[in-house]
Structure formats: structure tokens, C-alpha cells
């Protein structure tokens, strides 16, 4: 009899009752972006744009011509980055205004599809309309079969009666759809190729970090050795500091790429620590010069301190 009751519970439709919020819609849009190639490309392009702009601003402010730095351009890029980050929220606000007109939503989900009813409309969606779904701590987001997932449906977990119904809803989705993150599961051929790419990228970032630390070391050689290069030197300490920061970011990025790969994560963490130790040795040399950040020239005194010159 217990077995029969479990079978009946599994076959019984999962009932939902909710009213979408703007925060849930924004979370659904972000989940959709993470699950599509176009969304990942847009996010990567935004990160690289902000990173390159930040590097350019730091290098410009560190150079001798820092007074001519195009700050309005950099400010415009920052405003653009903030706007692009806020796009999901702005879209969610528009969708929420439309959803508010519909009022409360009631529905059921079972192996035949999704049925949703409001005070002004009703809709029934067969499973062939969706190919996969994404799960967040608060939501299930059903994604249409096209690459950009233009169509999507939001099923909040709070819409069901209790935790057991959340599990039942997840079970239905697992039977009828594919999880959007299944491509990351170990053993999938596509995942193996992606894992190799991440490993190669991680090694490349570690080598880049080490190379940046080397350039940071070379940049301050003249100022650090007045016995070999006497006199007042160009102040390259700010440029060296920027390279140190970029090297540290490269090491952190190397670990981030393989953070979900246990074996590679441990190896990368060990190598990243070694790379960062090399950066720490360079920082030990550059640190005493940084109080002259805005100076164009620098000289090391006999006692080891540095004197700043504004020419």
C-alpha cells in the first residue's frame, strides 16, 4: 500500500499558486543568460571591456602623461558597464508590469505539460516547447529549444505547498527536460573538451601571471640599483604595481577556470600560490617606491629610502 501511495503522489500533478515578483523575473533572466551561448558571450565581452578599460586607466594614471588621461572616456565605459549589468533588472521590471495585469497565477505541472491560469487568461504548454531547464535557489526556469532561449517560463519554488512538492516538480522536469548545466557533468564528451580547454586556459593564465611579475620586476631595476644606474630615474613603480595587480588577477582567473574540477583545482591552487609568492617578492621591492605614485622621477638615497621628484 505504501508503494501504491508513492506511485499516486508521483503521478499527481504538482499544483502552483503565485504572483511573480520583479526580483524573480530578474533572477530568471540571469539564469537564462548563463545557460545560452549569447548570454555567456555578452557577459564575457562586458567583463573584458571593463578589465581592459581599468588596465588602460591605471597605466595612463601611472605614466608621465597622467594629466592628459581621457577620464571622460573611462567614465563612459564604466557607465556602459553599469547599464549592461542592470539590463536584466530593467527587462524584469517591464515583464513584471505585464504580469501584474494578469494577477495571481494558478497552475499544474505533470508529465503532459504545464498549465497556467490567471484571472484573464489560460495557457497550456506541452513539453516539446521546452528543451531544458535551469534551477536557482528560488526558481525553476524552463527554456525554449532555440539557441537563445527566447521563450522561457518561471516556476517559483515558493509557489508549491512544501519541500516535498519541490522535489516532485524537479523530478517531473528531470523526466521531461535536460538540466541546463548537464553539459558540465563529468563524462560527457562535450564536457571533456571543455575541461581540456579550461585546463589549457588555466595554465596560460598562470604563465601570463608569471610573465607579468617578471616585467614588474624588470621595470624597477634602474631605481632599485643606484650603484649600477646612478642618478635620478624615471618612476616606473606605478607601472610595475599595475603589472603586479594584473598578475594576481591572472592567477585568480586560473583557479576560477578550474574551480569545479577537483584534481585540476588542487594542482592549479598549488601553482598559483607559487606564482603569487614570486609576485610577493616583486612587491617587496616595489612597495617602498609607491609613495611616489604621482611623481615623474625617483631616486634612491644612501639609506635605502626613495625621494620623489616632480619635474
Amino acid at each position: 500500500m505504501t508503494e501504491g501511495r508513492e506511485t499516486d503522489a508521483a503521478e499527481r500533478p504538482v499544483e502552483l499558486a503565485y504572483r511573480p515578483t520583479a526580483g524573480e523575473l530578474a533572477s530568471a533572466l540571469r539564469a537564462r543568460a548563463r545557460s545560452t551561448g549569447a548570454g555567456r558571450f555578452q557577459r564575457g565581452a562586458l567583463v573584458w571591456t571593463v578589465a581592459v578599460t581599468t588596465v588602460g586607466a591605471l597605466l595612463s594614471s601611472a605614466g608621465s602623461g597622467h594629466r592628459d588621461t581621457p577620464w571622460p572616456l573611462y567614465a563612459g565605459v564604466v557607465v556602459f558597464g553599469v547599464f549592461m549589468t542592470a539590463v536584466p533588472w530593467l527587462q524584469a521590471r517591464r515583464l513584471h508590469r505585464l504580469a501584474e495585469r494578469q494577477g495571481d497565477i494558478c497552475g499544474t505541472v505533470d508529465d503532459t505539460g504545464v498549465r497556467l491560469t490567471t484571472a484573464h487568461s489560460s495557457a497550456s504548454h506541452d513539453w516539446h516547447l521546452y528543451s531544458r531547464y535551469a534551477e536557482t535557489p528560488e526558481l525553476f526556469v524552463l527554456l525554449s529549444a532555440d539557441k537563445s532561449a527566447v521563450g522561457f517560463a518561471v516556476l517559483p519554488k515558493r509557489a508549491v505547498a512544501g519541500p516535498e512538492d519541490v522535489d516532485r516538480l524537479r523530478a517531473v522536469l528531470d523526466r521531461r527536460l535536460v538540466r541546463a548545466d548537464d553539459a558540465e557533468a563529468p563524462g560527457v564528451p562535450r564536457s571533456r573538451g571543455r575541461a581540456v580547454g579550461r585546463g589549457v586556459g588555466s595554465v596560460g593564465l598562470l604563465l601570463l601571471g608569471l610573465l607579468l611579475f617578471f616585467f614588474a620586476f624588470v621595470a624597477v631595476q634602474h631605481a632599485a640599483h643606484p650603484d649600477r644606474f646612478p642618478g635620478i630615474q624615471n618612476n616606473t613603480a606605478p607601472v610595475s604595481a599595475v603589472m603586479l595587480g594584473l598578475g594576481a588577477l591572472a592567477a585568480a582567473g586560473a583557479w576560477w577556470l578550474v574551480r569545479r574540477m577537483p584534481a585540476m583545482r588542487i594542482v592549479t591552487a598549488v601553482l598559483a600560490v607559487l606564482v603569487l609568492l614570486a609576485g610577493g617578492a616583486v612587491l617587496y621591492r616595489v612597495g617602498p617606491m609607491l609613495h611616489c605614485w604621482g611623481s615623474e622621477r625617483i631616486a634612491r638615497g644612501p639609506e635605502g629610502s626613495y625621494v620623489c621628484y616632480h619635474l
Side-chain angles (χ1 to χ4, degrees):
M1 291 182 65
T2 302
E3 198 173 304
R5 283 196 297 270
E6 290 177 352
T7 302
D8 291 342
E11 293 177 351
R12 191 173 68 250
V14 180
E15 298 183 355
L16 305 97
Y18 63 100
R19 175 173 290 196
T21 65
E24 288 172 344
L25 292 171
S27 178
L29 289 170
R30 286 192 291 268
R32 182 181 69 167
R34 289 193 297 269
S35 303
T36 61
R40 288 190 292 268
F41 175 81
Q42 182 179 5
R43 184 172 57 175
L46 177 61
V47 170
W48 278 107
T49 299
V50 174
V52 170
T53 303
T54 302
V55 171
L58 290 172
L59 290 175
S60 296
S61 65
S64 59
H66 62 275
R67 295 179 183 83
D68 300 324
T69 301
W71 292 116
L73 173 62
Y74 296 140
V77 173
V78 171
V79 171
F80 170 75
V82 173
F83 172 76
M84 292 302 296
T85 303
V87 163
W89 177 256
L90 297 175
Q91 292 176 330
R93 294 293 297 176
R94 295 178 62 184
L95 292 173
H96 184 250
R97 283 196 291 269
L98 178 62
E100 279 290 294
R101 297 176 185 173
Q102 300 294 325
D104 293 335
I105 298 175
C106 297
T108 59
V109 179
D110 58 22
D111 283 314
T112 63
V114 180
R115 289 166 293 280
L116 301 175
T117 304
T118 71
H120 307 288
S121 65
S122 63
S124 179
H125 305 289
D126 294 336
W127 288 117
H128 75 273
L129 294 176
Y130 303 103
S131 63
R132 60 199 189 280
Y133 79 95
E135 182 177 358
T136 75
E138 301 86 17
L139 307 169
F140 292 106
V141 184
L142 313 187
L143 304 171
S144 58
D146 55 288
K147 291 183 178 180
S148 299
V150 174
F152 68 98
V154 182
L155 305 179
K157 294 180 181 178
R158 63 178 175 82
V160 300
E164 65 280 357
D165 285 332
V166 173
D167 294 335
R168 289 178 54 221
L169 179 55
R170 184 184 296 108
V172 173
L173 297 179
D174 284 336
R175 286 196 299 270
R176 307 303 302 185
L177 304 177
V178 176
R179 291 182 67 96
D181 56 356
D182 269 358
E184 302 292 337
V188 179
R190 184 180 174 189
S191 178
R192 281 196 288 269
R194 203 174 274 180
V196 171
R198 285 177 177 269
V200 172
S202 178
V203 172
L205 283 174
L206 286 174
L207 292 176
L208 175 62
L210 197 60
L211 186 63
L212 287 167
F213 289 154
F214 173 75
F215 285 146
F217 177 81
V218 171
V220 294
Q221 283 305 292
H222 284 201
H225 294 282
D227 51 334
R228 286 187 243 165
F229 310 99
I232 301 175
Q233 306 292 337
N234 290 329
N235 183 17
T236 55
V239 174
S240 181
V242 171
M243 291 183 180
L244 283 171
L246 294 176
L249 287 176
W255 181 86
W256 185 86
L257 278 178
V258 296
R259 69 194 186 284
R260 296 179 181 175
M261 303 163 59
M264 282 296 298
R265 182 174 59 196
I266 296 173
V267 173
T268 302
V270 172
L271 294 176
V273 168
L274 295 176
V275 171
L276 291 174
L277 285 175
V282 179
L283 181 61
Y284 178 78
R285 170 168 290 185
V286 176
M289 309 178 191
L290 293 181
H291 70 282
C292 295
W293 184 280
S295 303
E296 297 178 5
R297 301 288 188 273
I298 192 173
R300 184 177 182 182
E303 70 284 358
S305 60
Y306 288 88
V307 181
C308 313
Y309 292 92
H310 302 273
L311 301 178

